[in-house]
Amino acid sequence: MKKNIGLLMMIILGVALLTGCRSSETVSIGMVKQSGDWIYYTDNNEEALYKMKTDWTGKTKVADNFGSGYMVIQGDTIYSSGMNGGVSKIQTDGTGAANVVDVGKESSYGFEVSGDWIYYSTKPGSIYKTKTDGTEKTKIADISSFEGDMKVSGDSIYYVDGTSLFKMKTDGTEVMKLSENVVIYAVEGDWIYYGEKNEKGEYENVNRMRTDGTAHTKLAEGVFTAIDGDSLYYSKDGWLYRANLDGTAAAKMNKVKMWNILDIYSEYIYYGEYSGAAYRVNLDGSNKKQFE
């Protein structure tokens, strides 16, 4: 099942969990991803990656020395932002650990995995691609006011230069300006889901436009949370809402206090508290389970 939670949000909140106050008796969780019948999560105290089945059995350590920056699961491979700022990969059974991207002394904004390619960016504004085996590294573009806001879909890269949204081919050609004052949330099919930055520098509203920059539509007032399958999730006034991808049929899900939503997958929400404790609840807020 396809889902999208903003990379920038995941990085910021992951770091906050890593550095926030926590009890020595509490397992501090950095990242959580559900893939099929398995849950993969990082234990910040141990700097380790674990997995367990969705029925809470079969807990197994997958890897040690595993950072809590960002994680993508594609098939049987887990890609993650390594402690050195590059991109590493490991099989879901813990074998085949390898460093795929080494950024050296540069600082990395983050990465995307699309098909057989990893797309990543470094400060102050260079975008690269490399095969998932680490070969054929190619610089795609240098962008003057780029700060890591980027999504890859099909043969196109969508990125923000300053406050303007651009689109280009994955080889760096056919650059096209699409819009102004955009924060990219997700690209799904023919649509870009985005927010706007207000005068206070806060993200607001959930909107979408076509991938050619036309048909701008405001879908909801609130803060984007995730896209999971055919559903859009956003928060407003302390409530979590679910709607169709076009913003219709919006309905309140719950009012569970969730400091940081880590993942939404099918009928489950995974979230963390400031202490580092993490939980899974059903969409309606019932059946709360804590990671231990």
Side-chain angles (χ1 to χ4, degrees):
M1 182 174 295
K2 190 175 183 180
K3 70 176 71 59
N4 196 305
I5 293 183
L7 171 59
L8 181 61
M9 179 186 299
M10 293 292 291
I11 292 174
I12 292 173
L13 293 177
V15 172
L17 276 174
L18 181 61
T19 59
C21 299
R22 60 186 178 227
S23 166
S24 61
E25 299 178 355
T26 300
V27 176
S28 178
I29 303 298
M31 295 184 291
V32 177
K33 287 286 185 182
Q34 182 177 330
S35 180
D37 295 329
W38 288 91
I39 304 165
Y40 299 85
Y41 62 98
T42 56
D43 184 323
N44 288 331
N45 295 337
E46 295 184 17
E47 295 184 344
L49 173 68
Y50 283 87
K51 69 177 182 180
M52 66 180 172
K53 293 183 178 179
T54 52
D55 64 3
W56 239 244
T57 64
K59 179 179 176 179
T60 306
K61 181 184 285 189
V62 178
D64 290 305
N65 301 316
F66 200 91
S68 294
Y70 184 60
M71 178 168 61
V72 174
I73 301 174
Q74 184 173 276
D76 294 329
T77 305
I78 301 170
Y79 299 90
S80 65
S81 51
M83 292 183 178
N84 62 352
V87 181
S88 301
K89 69 177 182 180
I90 191 170
Q91 297 300 108
T92 53
D93 63 1
T95 62
N99 188 43
V100 183
V101 173
D102 185 357
V103 296
K105 295 181 179 180
E106 295 181 297
S107 298
S108 176
Y109 283 114
F111 70 94
E112 296 257 319
V113 181
S114 181
D116 295 329
W117 293 90
I118 297 172
Y119 299 84
Y120 66 98
S121 53
T122 60
K123 299 177 182 180
S126 298
I127 299 177
Y128 296 83
K129 68 177 181 180
T130 185
K131 288 279 193 178
T132 52
D133 63 2
T135 62
E136 299 184 34
K137 176 182 175 180
T138 307
K139 179 183 282 191
I140 299 172
D142 286 314
I143 303 166
S144 60
S145 300
F146 179 72
E147 295 185 353
D149 196 1
M150 176 182 77
K151 297 293 179 186
V152 180
S153 180
D155 62 353
S156 295
I157 298 174
Y158 303 85
Y159 65 93
V160 175
D161 185 358
T163 61
S164 300
L165 175 65
F166 288 83
K167 172 184 179 180
M168 67 180 171
K169 294 294 185 182
T170 51
D171 62 2
T173 63
E174 299 184 31
V175 177
M176 177 191 306
K177 184 176 179 179
L178 300 180
S179 189
E180 292 278 359
N181 190 24
V182 168
V183 179
I184 309 174
Y185 292 142
V187 180
E188 297 287 335
D190 296 329
W191 295 95
I192 302 168
Y193 293 81
Y194 68 98
E196 303 153 319
K197 189 176 288 188
N198 62 25
E199 294 179 353
K200 297 179 180 179
E202 301 166 333
Y203 300 158
E204 61 182 10
N205 298 328
V206 182
N207 313 283
R208 74 173 184 175
M209 72 177 92
R210 290 197 177 275
T211 51
D212 62 3
T214 63
H216 291 244
T217 306
K218 181 178 177 179
L219 304 180
E221 293 181 356
V223 179
F224 175 87
T225 301
I227 288 178
D228 180 43
D230 294 328
S231 296
L232 166 69
Y233 294 87
Y234 62 94
S235 59
K236 179 183 177 183
D237 300 329
W239 288 90
L240 179 69
Y241 286 76
R242 178 173 63 184
N244 295 330
L245 293 180
D246 62 1
T248 61
K252 293 179 180 178
M253 291 289 96
N254 64 62
K255 202 170 183 178
V256 176
K257 186 175 182 180
M258 292 180 283
W259 181 70
N260 172 18
I261 293 180
L262 299 166
D263 195 20
I264 295 180
Y265 191 98
S266 188
E267 72 270 31
Y268 298 127
I269 302 170
Y270 298 88
Y271 71 96
E273 294 182 346
Y274 184 70
S275 66
Y279 303 87
R280 185 185 75 184
V281 296
N282 293 346
L283 290 177
D284 62 3
S286 64
N287 198 25
K288 181 177 178 180
K289 289 181 177 291
Q290 182 175 0
F291 285 80
E292 297 178 350

